[in-house]
Amino acid sequence: MLNIGLSSGGMRYHAPPFTSSTSSTSLCLSTSSRSSSEIFLLTRYNTTCWLLGSSSYAGETVQAYSSCYVTSPNINNWLRTPYIERGDAERLHIEMTFTMRKCVRHNDPSSLQQCKETFNLYYYEAESDFANHQMPTWQPNVYSKIDTIAADTLYVQPRKVEVNNETKHVTIKRKGVYFAFQDTGACITLLSVRIFYVTCPNVTVRYAFFMETPTGPTVSSLVQKKGVCVGNAVEESNPTYLCRSDGSWDILMGSCKCLPGYQGINGTKCVKCPVGTYKWHASNELCLKCPKYSYANGEGAEECTCENRYYRHKDDDRSLPCTQPPSPPQKLTIRSVNTTSVTLSWWHPRSNGGRNDLTYRVECNKCDKNVKYIPKMKGFISTMVTLTGLIPSEEYVIQILAENGVSDVSKQKRGVNVTVVTEASGKTH
């Protein structure tokens, strides 16, 4: 019968899809009728065979297979499941719920021909569903034995039946498998058979999604799974996770990070920055409030827009406030002048525009290439400059401009000028 798959302790159990007796892809094969109205009719062998009937289990009446021929010699009863495709699973588990009667308390011990308190569990791998009542042949050496199953508890009185639960596992390499139960003289009722495989569940961690992954072929196997970055995230380093045989994830390596304009939430998703915030680089940090003199009117801002008459240089950190060009230099003064040179000085601007990269530049209307600027023509921080190589008795208009990192962006010139007339040649003092 088909039951629904179970989840427990971070593990997920599945039964592989069946290719015979039903087209369902439900997750569990069982002989119990508690969760479904359909019963798999297991293939039976021998004239004294497993009988399908009703039994009481967990307060309900269920369909079950029974075999109890302890008064007959040479018992060899077989019961086989339908063909089960393993899908992506490499290791299948088979959980059996059964009852078994104690031999020594039989009603007529003298009539016992062979009485056992065990049964045998086998499997047979195949690439397709070929089995019938004759094939594979009903012989132990044709099948692969999983184990001899012994009851932990045996009942004496039918009214005081005790239920056993046993789970075994086996590595499957071919496309599918049959499981078989051999009774050689026990008094047994098989209440439920559940065939499943264990997976590590879907999980999202460090902004990488790891898809549900079947465990490896052995109890010591570790299956490495590569993660996929969640939406609006990129790989920081290759994300991998190891799936353990018990269905738990272990040893997480690598991670993903949220794109610019998105912030991380609990390592599971990247969402747009709220209005008034921004994030300009890929990371899993939270979005930041827009710095002074800037704004973000929409969600998902990578950087904030500067307010009117405020600017940002392309190399400025996006976390810094927007700034302005400096105001003009103050109190420009002619310190000295002669026939070929002039020295000017000034005070710093009243405002540096909120920046720390203030420099000065000199413009001269009639200066040719022979004129030298000391310390230099532009990009200097001194509040004094000397121009040499001037022509005697010439009038010059010299402008001192204050500049910073946003002067070019703003296209604004902030300067002050002075008119200088050099002395006549040959003039003495």
Side-chain angles (χ1 to χ4, degrees):
M1 246 185 107
L2 292 174
N3 289 335
I4 302 301
L6 306 177
S7 296
S8 173
M11 297 180 291
R12 188 164 181 80
Y13 303 96
H14 297 280
F18 302 107
T19 59
S20 64
S21 300
T22 180
S23 60
S24 173
T25 57
S26 297
L27 302 177
C28 185
L29 169 66
S30 172
T31 60
S32 166
S33 63
R34 291 176 298 159
S35 302
S36 174
S37 59
E38 183 178 3
I39 298 175
F40 277 112
L41 295 177
L42 279 66
T43 304
R44 294 171 283 184
Y45 168 77
N46 215 337
T47 54
T48 57
C49 63
W50 294 79
L51 299 177
L52 178 61
S54 298
S55 184
S56 179
Y57 173 48
E60 298 181 23
T61 299
V62 299
Q63 298 293 308
Y65 285 92
S66 297
S67 180
C68 189
Y69 299 95
V70 293
T71 59
S72 302
N74 303 318
I75 298 300
N76 185 32
N77 292 337
W78 288 76
L79 188 66
R80 187 178 64 220
T81 68
Y83 182 70
I84 301 169
E85 288 189 4
R86 67 179 177 89
D88 294 329
E90 296 182 88
R91 183 161 55 107
L92 296 184
H93 300 251
I94 178 166
E95 179 186 69
M96 300 154 288
T97 304
F98 62 95
T99 63
M100 190 171 291
R101 188 170 183 176
K102 195 173 182 67
C103 285
V104 296
R105 298 308 298 265
H106 193 271
N107 291 338
D108 184 9
S110 63
S111 66
L112 296 180
Q113 295 292 318
Q114 53 179 16
C115 185
K116 296 188 177 181
E117 295 173 352
T118 61
F119 66 94
N120 296 318
L121 177 64
Y122 295 90
Y123 72 101
Y124 186 97
E125 296 186 67
E127 291 299 326
S128 62
D129 183 11
F130 74 97
N132 54 36
H133 285 281
Q134 287 78 38
M135 295 291 293
T137 56
W138 303 96
Q139 298 173 352
N141 61 350
V142 173
Y143 290 79
S144 298
K145 187 173 183 178
I146 298 176
D147 205 354
T148 297
I149 308 301
D152 294 327
T153 58
L154 301 163
Y155 73 90
V156 177
Q157 300 296 331
R159 294 181 180 180
K160 297 180 180 181
V161 174
E162 296 191 57
V163 175
N164 298 272
N165 190 278
E166 188 80 21
T167 301
K168 298 293 179 179
H169 62 84
V170 63
T171 298
I172 304 298
K173 296 181 179 180
R174 306 191 74 176
K175 186 176 181 179
V177 64
Y178 300 95
F179 288 98
F181 311 88
Q182 181 196 29
D183 168 38
T184 57
C187 196
I188 180 176
T189 297
L190 195 57
L191 298 170
S192 173
V193 175
R194 189 167 70 99
I195 299 165
F196 62 93
Y197 62 94
V198 179
T199 67
C200 294
N202 289 335
V203 65
T204 301
V205 60
R206 292 186 189 173
Y207 304 99
F209 172 71
F210 296 89
M211 185 174 292
E212 185 176 36
T213 302
T215 58
T218 67
V219 292
S220 60
S221 295
L222 293 173
V223 179
Q224 186 180 70
K225 187 71 174 180
K226 186 182 187 307
V228 178
C229 292
V230 300
N232 304 305
V234 293
E235 276 192 15
E236 186 169 32
S237 56
N238 185 29
T240 60
Y241 223 169
L242 293 180
C243 178
R244 295 169 56 92
S245 62
D246 63 356
S248 64
W249 293 102
D250 194 18
I251 310 179
L252 174 63
M253 302 289 287
S255 64
C256 299
K257 55 186 177 181
C258 297
L259 292 171
Y262 292 82
Q263 64 182 358
I265 304 296
N266 299 326
T268 60
K269 60 182 177 180
C270 298
V271 299
K272 289 182 177 180
C273 293
V275 172
T277 67
Y278 76 102
K279 186 163 74 69
W280 68 274
H281 60 286
S283 74
N284 296 322
E285 299 170 359
L286 294 177
C287 300
L288 300 175
K289 184 179 178 181
C290 285
K292 198 173 182 180
Y293 308 118
S294 67
Y295 62 90
N297 288 334
E299 296 179 335
E302 296 183 18
E303 63 177 276
C304 298
T305 303
C306 291
E307 296 177 359
N308 188 34
R309 294 187 293 180
Y310 284 86
Y311 309 93
R312 180 180 289 118
H313 188 270
K314 64 181 180 64
D315 294 331
D316 284 350
D317 192 296
R318 301 307 188 262
S319 64
L320 295 176
C322 292
T323 55
Q324 295 179 310
S327 59
Q330 302 181 84
K331 298 187 178 182
L332 178 59
T333 303
I334 300 173
R335 297 288 296 271
S336 66
V337 62
N338 59 31
T339 56
T340 59
S341 69
V342 62
T343 297
L344 306 176
S345 68
W346 59 90
W347 288 8
H348 288 304
R350 186 179 302 277
S351 169
N352 63 5
R355 303 181 65 89
N356 297 316
D357 55 358
L358 176 68
T359 61
Y360 297 100
R361 178 165 59 91
V362 183
E363 289 187 355
C364 176
N365 67 328
K366 293 182 180 180
C367 294
D368 58 23
K369 62 181 181 180
N370 295 316
V371 175
K372 305 296 182 184
Y373 300 84
I374 304 170
K376 52 185 178 179
M377 184 179 180
K378 62 181 179 179
F380 61 94
I381 61 174
S382 171
T383 56
M384 182 180 294
V385 67
T386 297
L387 282 69
T388 65
L390 302 177
I391 300 173
S393 303
E394 185 67 68
E395 180 180 285
Y396 295 91
V397 177
I398 302 173
Q399 186 175 34
I400 305 300
L401 296 124
E403 297 180 323
N404 63 16
V406 296
S407 294
D408 287 344
V409 180
S410 69
K411 296 180 173 56
Q412 297 178 27
K413 295 176 66 173
R414 303 286 178 88
V416 60
N417 55 47
V418 64
T419 299
V420 176
V421 179
T422 55
E423 294 181 354
S425 177
K427 182 177 179 179
T428 59
H429 294 279

